[in-house]
Structures are given as structure tokens and as C-alpha cells.
Amino acid sequence: MTHYSNSSGQPIGAPQPDWQARSFPEPRVLQGRYCRLEPFNSERHGHDLAAAYLSAPDGSDWTYMFSGPFANEQAYLGYARQLEASRDPQHYAVIDLTTLKAVGTLALMRIVPEHGVMEVGHVAFSPLMKRSRLSTEAHFLLMAFAFDELGYRRYEWKCDSLNAPSGRAALRLGFTFEGTFRQAIVYKGRSRDTQWYSIIDGEWPQVKQGFTRWLAEENFSPEGQQHSALEVLRAG
């Protein structure tokens, strides 16, 4: 690691003489091979999503979310209208290109253009897309938007420290664990310690290479089984 110091001999961060604030993301369609991300629209996406979420056997997918679970379609559609009205978080619907139906959502949030930092959150993937190429590609499309198109420096993931599947997903996708903020949040009547993860711009080329290799058609059998894991392809 290169060390820098000021005229007083104090250690300081790496110089960024050409840094300029980045643009606030303007919602737009992000096209992939297996899915498409569309700016969330309650009328266009709400009914598909309500059906997808209500297909789950119970409400456990919403345990670590700030919202949900939803008892019926009307309850979800009321929530969907709130998503559509939000600028930050900026919500996207995940469209399955096989069925052309919305099957999940995720969002850019805590967007700070002056520092080039944003977070992915409100990840609500229905049973129709879990553990699928769609779920991985949806994250890849949003990351590529942040780093390649908007030029952001840091992309964050945060979750309840007790949500082990979310932590494993972050590591699989290429995030680095940074630490735990104790008693950071109160939600749903309980305390939450929050785990922080990030990808920074210097890591993005290798992370992107892993995604590109994993999502390639030749990485899957005709039955849809992966030949090589994402972590292996990223390390390679």
C-alpha cells in the first residue's frame, strides 16, 4: 500500500485531484441475457409481483425486510405505489425474459453523488427467481450501471447480522465484509446489528470478469446446471 503524508508529516488518504461529483442515476432500462431491469411501475409490475410473492409457502422471505409480508394482492399494491414514488431508494423490477413477467425487485439507495457511493438494497426476489441465473444477473446489471456508466467509486451491501443467507450472497457476489455496526437500527419492533460489505472501483474489473464468465451460456448444462461457481471464475 502506498502511504501519503501532508506538509506536517501526517498520514493522509490517496490524492484525488481530478475527482468530480458523479451524476445522480436517472432510472432507465438495463438489459441482460436472462433478465431485464425496469424502473419500477406499480401498474405495470405490481400484479405480477404480488402473485410471485404470494406463491411463497410462508412469509419468511420478509423476516429481514423493513416491509412485508403481505396478506393479499391489495396489501402489496399499496406498498408498490410507495416504491414507485421513491427517488432514493430507486426501485427496479426484475423481468424474466422467458416469461416477460416481473419476478422480483431491488433498488439503488443511499446515493451520494459527491462521494461516488451508493448501496444496493430492498432486494426482494420471489420464489420464481431465487438461486437462478436471473438473480445473479440482476445484481450484475445494477453493479455495471453504478461502476461502468455512472463512474461511482463504492457500492455497498448491508444486512441484518443474523441474516446469514444475505451475508453469504454478498460474499458470493464479490463484496468484501467490512464489519458490524452494533445496534444500528430498530425495525419491526426489534434491534438490528448491521453488517457492512462493499465493492470498490479498483476491484470491479475482476468482479465483472467473474460475472461475465459465470453468466456465459457455455457455463451451463442444457439442464441449467452451472459448470463452475461464480467465486471460482472470479478468482481465476
Side-chain angles (χ1 to χ4, degrees):
M1 178 184 295
T2 302
H3 296 279
Y4 301 90
S5 59
N6 63 13
S7 58
S8 299
Q10 297 167 303
I12 58 173
Q16 301 288 311
D18 300 320
W19 171 256
Q20 294 182 350
R22 297 320 193 216
S23 300
F24 192 92
E26 292 298 325
R28 68 174 191 81
V29 173
L30 304 174
Q31 184 71 40
R33 177 179 286 132
Y34 309 108
C35 73
R36 178 173 68 238
L37 303 188
E38 296 181 355
F40 188 86
N41 179 280
S42 59
E43 184 65 29
R44 188 164 64 248
H45 304 127
H47 297 284
D48 284 350
L49 287 167
Y53 294 138
L54 290 170
S55 71
D58 56 37
S60 59
D61 287 342
W62 301 91
T63 297
Y64 301 108
M65 303 286 286
F66 285 86
S67 55
F70 303 96
N72 51 49
E73 182 182 67
Q74 284 306 115
Y76 178 73
L77 291 178
Y79 172 67
R81 287 188 283 272
Q82 297 177 36
L83 301 190
E84 182 179 5
S86 174
R87 186 167 184 261
D88 184 355
Q90 184 180 109
H91 295 272
Y92 289 83
V94 183
I95 309 301
D96 183 340
L97 293 183
T98 300
T99 65
L100 297 182
K101 291 183 177 295
V103 292
T105 63
L106 71 173
L108 296 175
M109 59 184 287
R110 302 186 187 277
I111 303 165
V112 189
E114 58 265 37
H115 300 308
V117 177
M118 64 171 67
E119 176 183 344
V120 59
H122 293 272
V123 180
F125 291 168
S126 78
L128 301 180
M129 66 176 295
K130 284 185 177 180
R131 291 174 291 278
S132 72
R133 281 177 274 188
L134 276 71
S135 60
T136 298
E137 187 177 52
H139 279 295
F140 171 58
L141 291 173
L142 215 53
M143 286 184 201
F145 184 40
F147 286 116
D148 293 339
E149 298 193 38
L150 297 171
Y152 275 57
R153 304 175 67 229
R154 174 179 169 87
Y155 191 78
E156 299 176 337
W157 175 298
K158 303 185 183 80
C159 65
D160 191 313
S161 64
L162 299 175
N163 187 356
S166 182
R168 289 194 298 269
L171 296 175
R172 174 183 175 270
L173 293 170
F175 288 84
T176 296
F177 175 64
E178 295 184 327
T180 302
F181 282 41
R182 300 177 299 162
Q183 296 187 185
I185 291 172
V186 175
Y187 76 129
K188 291 186 173 178
R190 61 181 187 260
S191 180
R192 180 177 112 168
D193 293 355
T194 298
Q195 290 184 334
W196 284 51
Y197 301 80
S198 73
I199 298 170
I200 57 176
D201 54 358
E203 299 162 345
W204 172 239
Q206 184 172 359
V207 172
K208 180 180 181 180
Q209 175 181 265
F211 278 115
T212 302
R213 290 173 171 175
W214 189 86
L215 290 164
E217 291 185 15
E218 55 266 28
N219 188 44
F220 294 89
S221 70
E223 296 74 34
Q225 296 298 311
Q226 69 175 10
H227 296 308
S228 298
L230 178 58
E231 299 94 319
V232 172
L233 294 173
R234 182 169 60 247

